[in-house]
Amino acid sequence: MDKLTDFFKVLSDETRLRILILLYHKKLCVCEMCGITGESQPKISKHLAKLRDMGFVKDERQEQFIFYDLNLKEEVYKAILEKIVDNINDYPELKSDIEKCKHAEKYLEACRR
Amino acid sequence: MDKLTDFFKVLSDETRLRILILLYHKKLCVCEMCGITGESQPKISKHLAKLRDMGFVKDERQEQFIFYDLNLKEEVYKAILEKIVDNINDYPELKSDIEKCKHAEKYLEACRR
DNA sequence: TACTTATATACTCATATAAGTATATACGTA
DNA sequence: TACGTATATACTTATATGAGTATATAAGTA
């Protein structure tokens, strides 16, 4: 049950919820997530580190960038994220994030500045 | 989205998760929940107060006892609890709570001591 | 090798949270 | 009215958490 409450603790932070909903849709690198969410790089990185340490996401380097992806082994976790996505119209900020992540590469370029 | 993260914060505490899963099955009074979970009365009461203040449960006096019941207006919340219950075999402590709550009256009597 | 860029981490501070113990409240009953 | 029982709340303490700023690291490139 600890893992389950840990998962809920993860979701109880707005930034982490946004990250997980984004990764539910697409593998993304740190600076894309910063661009999409408008949050600072250390903030995103720290939350990703926590998610990684807890085993909910995995990372992979591709050239200069480190891409993150969901790593949810148990169905319950996926099912819970799915429920949120099913009701995405109730959560405009999440919906907007998802829209933006369709053009994530845009934020990759913006990163080089 | 605040309400959603609040709900996850609620679920991130083991005691509150146990309470909600119990109430998902049956309306219960405070001392029954204490008996079932083995937790102290102030601990249960404080968590119930928080759940009540957040609007996730409602209370109702019946003679000497105050009974609590779920008060989840939005489907997502119910659906999330349902997902947990669907996978109850993964969570022995929750499963055991549910078993015990089938004979909740037993704990009502034990309360008079 | 020096430099740039992408990401991670350390440090600090403010705030939130949970638990335990003691006590208050509120209703029911003798 | 006095008492008992069920529940709520206050107070304290320990711990966890998140944000911001500054800095470190690690890989790529000139």
Side-chain angles (χ1 to χ4, degrees), chain A residues 4-53:
Chain A
L4 185 60
T5 50
D6 281 353
F7 185 64
F8 288 129
K9 180 152 290 180
V10 158
L11 295 178
S12 73
D13 178 87
E14 179 174 319
T15 308
R16 286 190 301 256
L17 176 59
R18 292 174 73 189
I19 290 174
L20 287 186
I21 294 296
L22 279 172
L23 296 182
Y24 182 88
H25 289 84
K26 193 172 184 180
K27 186 186 285 200
L28 292 167
C29 80
V30 180
C31 69
E32 288 173 325
M33 289 186 253
C34 292
I36 292 169
T37 62
E39 299 290 349
S40 76
Q41 178 269 318
K43 184 168 173 177
I44 296 292
S45 266
K46 268 188 295 185
H47 284 299
L48 284 170
K50 177 169 274 193
L51 291 169
R52 182 184 358 95
D53 294 347

Side-chain angles (χ1 to χ4, degrees), chain B residues 4-62:
Chain B
L4 185 60
T5 50
D6 281 351
F7 185 64
F8 289 130
K9 178 151 292 178
V10 158
L11 295 178
S12 73
D13 178 86
E14 179 174 318
T15 308
R16 286 190 300 256
L17 176 59
R18 293 174 72 189
I19 290 174
L20 287 186
I21 294 297
L22 279 172
L23 296 181
Y24 183 87
H25 289 83
K26 193 172 183 179
K27 185 187 289 201
L28 291 167
C29 80
V30 180
C31 70
E32 288 174 325
M33 290 186 252
C34 293
I36 292 169
T37 62
E39 299 290 349
S40 75
Q41 177 269 318
K43 183 167 173 177
I44 295 293
S45 266
K46 267 189 295 188
H47 285 297
L48 284 170
K50 178 169 274 193
L51 291 169
R52 183 186 356 100
D53 294 347
M54 295 175 107
F56 295 125
V57 304
K58 56 175 185 281
D59 59 347
E60 179 194 0
R61 179 174 282 271
Q62 289 181 13

Side-chain angles (χ1 to χ4, degrees), chain B residues 51-95:
Chain B
L51 291 169
R52 183 186 356 100
D53 294 347
M54 295 175 107
F56 295 125
V57 304
K58 56 175 185 281
D59 59 347
E60 179 194 0
R61 179 174 282 271
Q62 289 181 13
E63 291 140 44
Q64 320 104 297
F65 306 107
I66 297 182
F67 279 80
Y68 281 83
D69 200 0
L70 284 190
N71 187 34
L72 303 175
K73 285 141 193 162
E74 282 158 78
E75 280 307 316
V76 206
Y77 305 137
K78 284 181 211 160
I80 289 168
L81 293 186
E82 189 183 14
K83 279 293 164 200
I84 300 171
V85 174
D86 287 348
N87 292 273
I88 201 70
N89 286 324
D90 294 341
Y91 311 110
E93 191 165 21
L94 297 180
K95 190 172 183 179

